[in-house]
Amino acid sequence: MAWRIVHVKEGDTLRLRLDNVEIIKMDNKLHIPLSDISMVVLEGNRTTITTKLLSSFSQNNVGLVICDDKYLPVGMYLPYGQYHHNAKRVINQSNWSDDQKGDIWQRVIKQKMDNQVAFARFAGVEQERLELMEDLVSNLISGDKTNREGHVAKVYFDSLYGKSFTRDEDCLTNAAMNFGYAIVRSCMARIVVGSGLVTMLGIFHRNEFNSFNLADDLMEPYRPLMDYWINKYVLGDDDYLSYESRQNIISFMHEKIEINGKKMTIDNSMQEFVASFISAMDSNDPDAILKIELKNFIGEES
């Protein structure tokens, strides 16, 4: 099973060599088996890649992420039509009812909200604000028609970073979260596509200009896990997102979490989570979806 995320810096050349990615920098060459790679992250304006390698990425379900001059991911290249029953799965997906999507979204977003409360408690947020978030979670209904998720997020970020903090602010915290969420999104999109689903057809996110609505839906429980990771391993004395910090964020995908008594990497847990999501939708049983819990991540890696 693919497990490696390859982070390529400025000036490298990537090409296919037999069944390996060959990375060339000056006189040095590195070979990595395609079967080991789940995703490649490219940085730098002078990095080049061959179309033959891109074709092999598609055939091996390898995702490719392109970063801008500020080292933030701005684009993705994903496989197309590699799932063996792709048409059947897409037909089923297009027939999901609004009630099905509303009920499963309630389960998915509750996991995110519960994990936000758990991280806020871990970070020492005062009990009054924890209780406020818990009260908001308790009023969650199918489809989150009353936007409990938005209200919890407001209390969550205010409690952690101060009431003046906004997600638009130019600061290390936002840069780290933007980078981290983009990595999680890219991994989730690769798994969604590899499972034969259409990323544009979400269960809650329905933006006509967003090609990754479903990936944005399914990554939600993982956001607070990334927040915890960034808080522990990235935020500190630096006021910019260093190369070491970006490496630390990418390493999040290889950390272990416990799911139903089994220890697995975050990347593998996403595979299991998407599979359980498909099963829950096909069987019309929202409770069949796996639970992604922060406590099972903190307990393993701390």
Side-chain angles (χ1 to χ4, degrees):
M1 179 178 291
W3 57 274
R4 182 175 288 176
I5 298 178
V6 179
H7 189 194
V8 180
K9 291 187 68 179
E10 179 81 37
D12 294 357
T13 297
L14 286 77
R15 66 185 185 186
L16 182 67
R17 175 67 65 182
L18 298 177
D19 291 326
N20 298 276
V21 175
E22 183 177 69
I23 303 175
I24 306 168
K25 190 158 191 173
M26 300 181 71
D27 295 328
N28 299 315
K29 294 182 180 180
L30 174 67
H31 296 90
I32 305 173
L34 277 167
S35 58
D36 287 353
I37 303 173
S38 64
M39 188 167 67
V40 175
V41 180
L42 295 186
E43 293 181 359
N45 295 326
R46 296 183 294 109
T47 301
T48 60
I49 186 169
T50 66
T51 54
K52 181 68 174 177
L53 181 57
L54 289 174
S55 175
S56 294
F57 280 171
S58 290
Q59 293 166 5
N60 288 272
N61 194 27
V62 176
L64 177 67
V65 176
I66 311 296
C67 297
D68 64 12
D69 292 341
K70 295 181 179 179
Y71 308 109
L72 294 178
V74 292
M76 281 187 278
Y77 171 78
L78 296 171
Y80 176 76
Q82 297 300 317
Y83 180 72
H84 57 291
H85 286 159
N86 188 261
K88 179 180 179 181
R89 181 144 288 171
V90 171
I91 292 170
N92 289 342
Q93 182 181 358
S94 64
N95 288 330
W96 291 341
S97 70
D98 288 341
D99 287 342
Q100 279 181 290
K101 290 186 282 189
D103 290 345
I104 201 74
W105 177 247
Q106 182 182 8
R107 303 311 195 276
V108 170
I109 204 60
K110 186 177 186 301
Q111 292 191 33
K112 174 191 179 181
M113 295 157 71
D114 286 341
N115 287 337
Q116 286 177 320
V117 173
F119 175 49
R121 179 175 288 109
F122 175 87
V125 169
E126 55 268 30
Q127 185 63 28
E128 180 181 355
R129 299 186 73 81
L130 294 174
E131 291 175 357
L132 174 57
M133 286 189 282
E134 290 172 334
D135 183 60
L136 289 166
V137 174
S138 69
N139 292 319
L140 182 66
I141 61 175
S142 178
D144 191 21
K145 296 181 177 65
T146 56
N147 193 28
R148 298 300 90 183
E149 185 272 334
H151 293 300
V152 168
K154 172 64 175 171
V155 179
Y156 174 76
F157 284 116
D158 284 354
S159 300
L160 290 172
Y161 306 116
K163 292 185 178 181
S164 62
F165 175 82
T166 69
R167 285 289 286 121
D168 297 326
E169 184 179 344
D170 185 8
C171 62
L172 175 60
T173 299
N174 276 327
M177 283 193 288
N178 290 341
F179 187 88
Y181 294 161
I183 293 297
V184 172
R185 187 190 198 213
S186 301
C187 288
M188 183 60 76
R190 180 186 64 84
I191 293 167
V192 166
V193 170
S195 301
L197 297 169
V198 175
T199 58
M200 286 79 76
L201 299 180
I203 55 173
F204 177 78
H205 291 89
R206 301 179 184 180
N207 189 331
E208 63 180 301
F209 304 108
N210 182 7
S211 296
F212 302 99
N213 286 314
L214 185 57
D216 289 340
D217 288 331
L218 298 183
M219 69 176 278
E220 292 289 6
Y222 291 91
R223 287 179 181 267
L225 276 63
M226 177 58 79
D227 294 343
Y228 164 82
W229 187 256
I230 287 169
N231 184 74
K232 186 170 184 179
Y233 292 105
V234 176
L235 301 184
D237 296 332
D238 291 336
D239 58 0
Y240 66 98
L241 192 62
S242 67
Y243 174 66
E244 291 74 19
S245 294
R246 300 196 299 278
Q247 286 185 310
N248 283 336
I249 291 172
I250 290 173
S251 71
F252 166 82
M253 300 306 305
H254 301 314
E255 292 302 310
K256 297 290 186 65
I257 186 172
E258 184 174 312
I259 306 292
N260 287 345
K262 296 191 302 181
K263 296 176 182 178
M264 62 187 73
T265 64
I266 291 291
D267 190 27
N268 288 342
S269 79
M270 287 182 175
Q271 296 273 3
E272 299 285 335
F273 185 68
V274 172
S276 75
F277 164 77
I278 293 171
S279 177
M281 295 301 291
D282 288 347
S283 64
N284 198 18
D285 179 12
D287 292 329
I289 194 165
L290 287 180
K291 289 186 178 179
I292 306 300
E293 298 180 282
L294 178 68
K295 65 179 183 180
N296 292 336
F297 178 60
I298 292 177
E300 174 61 32
E301 69 85 26
S302 60

